[in-house]
Amino acid sequence: MNIAFDAVPLISDKMTGIGWCEAGQTTAMARLYPENSYTYNFFSRKDDHIKLDRLKPFSENIKPKIAHFSGYIYRASSTLLPIPYSSFFGKDADITHFFNYIAPSGVHGRTVITVHDMVYKAFPETVRSRTKFMLNSGLKKSMKRADIIVTDSEFSKAEILKYFPAHEKKIRVVPCGVDTEKFKPCEDLSRIPEVKASLGIEGDYFLYVGTIEPRKNLERLINAYNIFVSRVKDAPKLILAGGKGWLYDSIFQRVTDLGLTERVIFTKYVPAADMNPLMCGATAFVFPSIYEGFGMPPLEAMACGVPVLASDAASLPEVTGDCAVICDAYSEEGIADGLEKLYSNDELRADLSRRGLERAQKFTWERSAEILYDVYRELI
């Protein structure tokens, strides 16, 4: 097969979870099935070398294919005019996969799109206006154009069907994976205090990694942490590591209002090389998100052997199974109880660490790529 991947999520200056999902699935597929031809398609009006550098970690077995035109202009104009994608990228591909919801018109061969979640429908107030506009104006058309719609979890499949029931026969679930070379028990324990010092962290800590935005339930987590602090002397700090997302000001303000600025630490940017030691040094990983299409951070923590507190919302129980402390996403007392349970029970933490490691091994990118490849074979 000639398989093309839309590379837009991989060439942005700050890769999100969508980009890491594409990177994991595409690189694993190219390794597992080298008999095929693979390309990364992207538009570039200028600075090709910057985009090629960003692709380099993922392109060992996948060739870049550049259309020298503004991707922004193409995407904006194609919402009004059916400009064929094949006019820019030709007609060689048997399958073209778009990993970020939207597929343009005029794609040669079969078209696959990944729809990661329905947060813009379920919690529209937590989504940027331009993202809502893009999805409201383009997703319905894209789902009609697609031969197959891929999504990350059974939860997300059910959510898609809630809003777009006509596409039931097109939907296939392809779970995400975890990079077990990057996320694993720390082999050099001296790196943990080094990384803590670089981020201004002293003593024990609970860790959250993810975007700082409302749907991650961080205000409720901060309130719950305040309850926990009132119960426990010398409580671990709460470390929030992640980029600023959307409507984040109230999250920072909540820490100030509760007088927790010495206990709740928002980190500076954490380099990729420091993420594993930061994760492995945590007393527990906390992720009480309200809405996740899959929820990769808890799985990454489990792969590091770190016990996890996760909410009972959305796909998180599907990902963590019985290998995490599960709390009510909407109960501050419940989240605080979960923090106290993890902090006070050494045996529980050890048991969750062991079982979490075992569960994480079931979610490899190789397994994810095999399932996705079966979808492609079904089409051809």
Side-chain angles (χ1 to χ4, degrees), residues 99-360:
F99 288 82
N100 196 12
Y101 297 81
I102 302 299
S105 63
V107 178
H108 180 74
R110 302 292 188 144
T111 301
V112 178
I113 62 170
T114 297
V115 177
H116 296 276
D117 58 43
M118 286 280 109
V119 68
Y120 87 103
K121 291 280 194 184
F123 292 94
E125 69 279 5
T126 69
V127 179
R128 291 178 187 273
S129 297
R130 66 187 181 193
T131 302
K132 278 190 289 190
F133 174 79
M134 177 192 75
L135 293 172
N136 280 319
S137 61
L139 183 56
K140 188 175 181 179
K141 293 177 184 176
S142 290
M143 295 176 87
K144 285 183 178 179
R145 290 174 186 143
D147 295 290
I148 289 288
I149 299 162
V150 167
T151 194
D152 303 334
S153 63
E154 293 294 340
F155 166 78
S156 284
K157 177 181 177 180
E159 285 288 280
I160 294 169
L161 291 176
K162 184 190 300 183
Y163 299 104
F164 300 97
H167 298 302
E168 181 173 9
K169 292 182 180 179
K170 287 186 180 182
I171 301 174
R172 305 291 182 273
V173 175
V174 181
C176 296
V178 61
D179 184 345
T180 52
E181 288 301 309
K182 181 179 177 182
F183 295 98
K184 58 185 178 181
C186 192
E187 295 172 344
D188 181 3
L189 296 179
S190 67
R191 290 280 292 132
I192 295 175
E194 287 176 9
V195 170
K196 287 174 63 177
S198 73
L199 296 172
I201 302 170
E202 296 179 356
D204 296 335
Y205 58 95
F206 294 120
L207 176 66
Y208 161 86
V209 175
T211 311
I212 307 299
E213 62 182 3
R215 72 180 171 108
K216 302 301 183 179
N217 210 20
L218 296 181
E219 279 195 66
R220 200 170 275 116
L221 171 60
I222 291 163
N223 291 338
Y225 177 72
N226 189 51
I227 295 170
F228 169 73
V229 166
S230 71
R231 298 176 184 173
V232 176
K233 185 180 179 182
D234 299 325
K237 289 184 169 62
L238 175 61
I239 309 301
L240 304 177
K244 294 177 181 177
W246 173 244
L247 299 174
Y248 53 79
D249 287 336
S250 62
I251 297 169
F252 289 86
Q253 188 61 47
R254 192 65 188 146
V255 173
T256 302
D257 291 345
L258 292 173
L260 293 172
T261 52
E262 297 297 316
R263 289 181 173 272
V264 178
I265 298 173
F266 295 90
T267 70
K268 60 184 180 182
Y269 172 75
V270 181
D274 291 350
M275 188 55 73
N276 176 264
L278 177 65
M279 195 85 80
C280 291
T283 299
F285 186 84
V286 295
F287 202 78
S289 180
I290 292 171
Y291 195 96
E292 297 290 327
F294 184 79
M296 288 172 64
L299 187 60
E300 291 166 349
M302 291 161 71
C304 291
V306 178
V308 169
L309 169 72
S311 73
D312 59 358
S315 64
L316 292 176
E318 188 178 334
V319 173
T320 59
D322 62 353
C323 302
V325 171
I326 301 296
C327 61
D328 181 348
Y330 295 93
S331 169
E332 293 168 4
E333 288 284 347
I335 298 170
D337 290 344
L339 293 174
E340 188 170 1
K341 184 184 294 186
L342 278 169
Y343 175 68
S344 62
N345 192 328
D346 295 346
E347 289 184 6
L348 174 63
R349 291 201 308 275
D351 181 54
L352 291 177
S353 173
R354 176 185 57 79
R355 291 193 287 120
L357 279 166
E358 292 174 357
R359 185 165 181 82

